[in-house]
Amino acid sequence: MFSVESLPDTGTDRGVRADWQRLIDAGLPSAGRHPSESNRPHVTLAVRDDLPTDAVRELARVGGALPVECRLGGAVVFAAGERFVLARPLVMSAALLRLHADIVDLVGPPPVRYAVTAKDRWTPHITLARRMTAEQVGRALDIVGAAGIEGELTGLRLWDAEAKAVTPLR
């Protein structure tokens, strides 16, 4: 499995990591608990089982559209089975939608299991925590609050889940 991810600027990264740390300090699940060097705040643009052979080179070209304004809103919650994902959504902009559409055009439409990355189903966000119970979500919402974060998406990378490797594209 491969995912194409956009990375925020330093200030936005710092703001998200502060959310991660507040959740850790409260004894809650947090994306900040994942010790891998590749773990950093990001926006997933596409997920696919494989990529066309020329996609990596072309993805780097599309990355030339960066930076793109990045305005994170208050917390949002997604159902994930019997648990929940806590995230900060990105406010949609024409530039953000264009970047996503360009990426999807390059890698092709997603299979059903990755349909949430399709042009008409994508909800851009940066994950704060996964596998939360309803009670934990209630506590977490009080901790991270509604204040948003403003900055830019400045980087682009490819995550190869099988190889557990990151390829910077921009």
Side-chain angles (χ1 to χ4, degrees):
M1 182 207 54
F2 297 90
S3 61
V4 181
E5 303 167 346
S6 190
L7 307 171
D9 63 32
T10 303
T12 304
D13 184 280
R14 233 185 344 260
V16 172
R17 288 178 189 272
D19 283 342
W20 289 358
Q21 189 59 52
R22 282 192 290 278
L23 293 170
I24 290 170
D25 293 345
L28 292 167
S30 169
R33 292 185 186 278
H34 185 13
S36 170
E37 277 188 41
S38 64
N39 181 41
R40 63 174 293 189
H42 66 273
V43 178
T44 300
L45 298 163
V47 180
R48 302 295 184 271
D49 289 323
D50 51 48
L51 295 174
T53 52
D54 61 343
V56 174
R57 181 178 56 255
E58 290 300 310
L59 286 168
R61 182 187 55 75
V62 170
L66 296 171
V68 169
E69 180 182 17
C70 172
R71 291 181 39 223
L72 280 64
V76 65
V77 179
F78 300 106
E82 294 183 12
R83 297 286 178 134
F84 301 91
V85 173
L86 179 69
R88 285 208 181 268
L90 272 71
V91 176
M92 290 287 195
S93 68
L96 182 62
L97 287 171
R98 197 168 32 256
L99 174 66
H100 178 252
D102 289 348
I103 297 291
V104 172
D105 287 345
L106 280 174
V107 300
V112 172
R113 73 181 152 283
Y114 306 132
V116 295
T117 65
K119 288 182 191 178
D120 60 347
R121 301 214 28 217
W122 184 58
T123 302
H125 64 278
I126 295 179
T127 300
L128 302 179
R130 291 183 173 83
R131 298 178 195 89
M132 298 187 102
T133 66
E135 183 272 331
Q136 289 172 327
V137 168
R139 289 178 45 216
L141 289 172
D142 286 338
I143 291 165
V144 299
I149 301 169
E150 294 194 27
E152 294 179 322
L153 295 175
T154 56
L156 193 65
R157 72 180 186 177
L158 182 64
W159 166 247
D160 179 338
E162 184 176 317
K164 299 197 181 320
V166 170
T167 301
L169 301 170
R170 175 162 164 53

